[in-house]
Amino acid sequence: MAFVRWITIASILSIVIIKFKGYSFPSKPSPNKNFIQKNERTALKMLRDVPPSDESSGSQPDSSDPSEKSFTLPKSLFSKAKKLEISHEIGTGTLSWGDVSRGYIGNTNRKLKSGEFSKNTLKSAFEEMLKNDITFFDTAETYGIDSLRNSGNSETMIGKFVRSSEGDSEILIGTKFTPKFWPGRKIGGIIPRFGHRAVVKALQRSLDRMDLSYVDLYSLHYPNWYIGGYRALAEGFARARERGLCKHIGVCNMNGDQVSNFKAELSKFDAPLAANQIEFSLANQSAAEDGTISTCKRLGILVFAHTPLGRGLATGVYTALDPTGSKPEAPR
């Protein structure tokens, strides 16, 4: 009887723990791709939260370093991940999502004015993109961060939209690391960033905000000066990929020489460089003129553009009578 009682108590505790950590198991599994993908992310997150043992890891990590505590996924998990491919070669940038200065309104009950948008607006836009097979969403830890308290920042909203999405779309998520010594309390807490561990910790914070287990693309936001240099950054990105926190590694706003150098550092850790996101539009074609695009093609690195509408120049928002687009600062 005592044994049965202990089994009953253990079962109840297990259910409570699972509910507390936010995990739930659907009673009627759906066969669609999106269901499989979302549960794959959940399963990997559960694995990531399991502490390593002496038998599996060979040694105990330094308990003072939170980034070393998580379960280390098999090194080969993403080593054979297919080449990064973006459906229709078009993605959705979320720079303005949650950004009050760009028109975001946190109060969903308020009537929106021209140029304003809310969380409901973005949810509708997200669903419309999926209906048209636009499945890549590009975000960053800094996007809309001032709305973090109300869960209105870009990463948090994207995570919610992904988890509540229906259909069989294979959603791809990309986010970015800010290479600043102190990027701000809301982004990185009070601890300064330096060395490779900060890269892993930052991605874990992003994943926590999105409530996902991994992202498809994790990128260096820009080639800023960083304590530890490219080597520390490359090691951090390689470790994040090795642990299954990201499928692919990318960079942003790098020229040809910078891409070559960073790729060389990544190769020291047996990690490939998948993509370089650059500014490119009809109004700005410097990446084609300075050899950046040709270098990336030669190295087998995917190139995709941000601000492809020329910071609004191609939208018709600027006119001779309204040169600022009715905003104090030019929209991006």
Side-chain angles (χ1 to χ4, degrees):
M1 290 297 293
F3 177 76
V4 173
R5 187 161 51 249
W6 277 110
I7 289 295
T8 302
I9 294 173
S11 299
I12 294 173
L13 286 175
S14 298
I15 294 172
V16 171
I17 291 172
I18 289 172
K19 290 295 184 182
F20 176 77
K21 292 184 73 62
Y23 304 133
S24 61
F25 299 97
S27 57
K28 295 183 179 180
S30 167
N32 66 56
K33 293 179 182 178
N34 202 32
F35 173 85
I36 295 172
Q37 184 191 33
K38 285 188 286 186
N39 281 272
E40 177 191 31
R41 293 182 189 272
T42 302
L44 288 174
K45 184 175 182 181
M46 293 174 72
L47 284 174
R48 181 164 64 88
D49 291 338
V50 176
S53 64
D54 288 325
E55 295 180 359
S56 61
S57 64
S59 62
Q60 289 289 344
D62 182 3
S63 59
S64 63
D65 183 4
S67 70
E68 301 288 352
K69 290 182 179 180
S70 58
F71 178 85
T72 300
L73 295 167
K75 191 171 184 178
S76 61
L77 181 68
F78 288 151
S79 63
K80 296 182 179 180
K82 66 180 181 179
K83 184 178 178 180
L84 177 63
E85 295 180 351
I86 298 176
S87 177
H88 303 299
E89 299 183 351
I90 299 176
T92 303
T94 63
L95 174 67
S96 62
W97 291 24
D99 192 335
V100 176
S101 68
R102 298 177 187 274
Y104 176 75
I105 302 298
N107 184 0
T108 57
N109 296 321
R110 205 196 83 179
K111 185 176 181 180
L112 300 177
K113 300 177 182 179
S114 176
E116 294 181 339
F117 56 93
S118 66
K119 188 179 298 184
N120 293 335
T121 312
L122 296 174
K123 180 67 163 62
S124 298
F126 180 87
E127 293 173 347
E128 189 65 25
M129 288 295 178
L130 294 185
K131 288 179 183 177
N132 290 276
D133 201 28
I134 306 300
T135 59
F136 176 67
F137 294 85
D138 175 66
T139 184
E141 58 182 356
T142 56
Y143 292 176
I145 194 62
D146 289 335
S147 300
L148 177 62
R149 177 178 296 180
N150 299 319
S151 299
N153 61 303
S154 177
E155 285 186 331
T156 301
M157 283 193 286
I158 285 179
K160 289 182 178 179
F161 296 167
V162 169
R163 294 192 305 277
S164 64
S165 62
E166 300 178 354
D168 59 357
S169 298
E170 185 177 353
I171 303 171
L172 304 180
I173 303 297
T175 193
K176 309 179 190 74
F177 172 77
T178 306
K180 286 186 176 181
F181 181 69
W182 194 67
R185 181 180 56 82
K186 292 180 180 179
I187 298 173
I190 61 174
I191 301 176
R193 287 184 174 178
F194 57 88
H196 69 271
R197 289 184 176 86
V199 179
V200 180
K201 291 177 182 177
L203 180 50
Q204 289 175 329
R205 289 176 71 99
S206 287
L207 292 173
D208 288 342
R209 282 189 286 267
M210 292 184 279
D211 196 19
L212 299 176
S213 60
Y214 69 87
V215 291
D216 299 277
L217 178 66
Y218 191 41
S219 302
L220 179 65
H221 207 155
Y222 40 79
N224 196 35
W225 178 84
Y226 185 78
I227 296 179
Y230 278 2
R231 182 176 181 82
L233 289 168
E235 183 176 358
F237 277 92
R239 288 198 178 193
R241 178 176 177 271
E242 179 180 323
R243 295 179 187 184
L245 305 181
C246 64
K247 280 190 174 182
H248 301 282
I249 298 170
V251 293
C252 302
N253 306 303
M254 281 192 174
N255 61 35
D257 290 338
Q258 292 168 330
V259 166
S260 298
N261 293 336
F262 195 73
K263 184 178 187 301
E265 290 296 334
L266 279 174
S267 66
K268 296 176 182 178
F269 302 97
D270 195 27
L273 180 59
N276 182 21
Q277 183 180 168
I278 55 174
E279 181 171 356
F280 191 79
S281 66
L282 290 174
N284 184 348
Q285 300 189 33
S286 60
E289 298 165 355
D290 65 15
T292 296
I293 293 178
S294 60
T295 298
C296 290
K297 286 185 176 180
R298 176 172 55 82
L299 297 175
I301 298 170
L302 175 69
V303 177
F304 61 101
H306 64 74
T307 57
L309 298 179
R311 301 175 184 265
L313 286 174
T315 66
V317 69
Y318 303 111
T319 66
L321 297 178
D322 189 8
T324 65
S326 299
K327 294 185 178 181
E329 297 182 1
R332 210 166 171 182

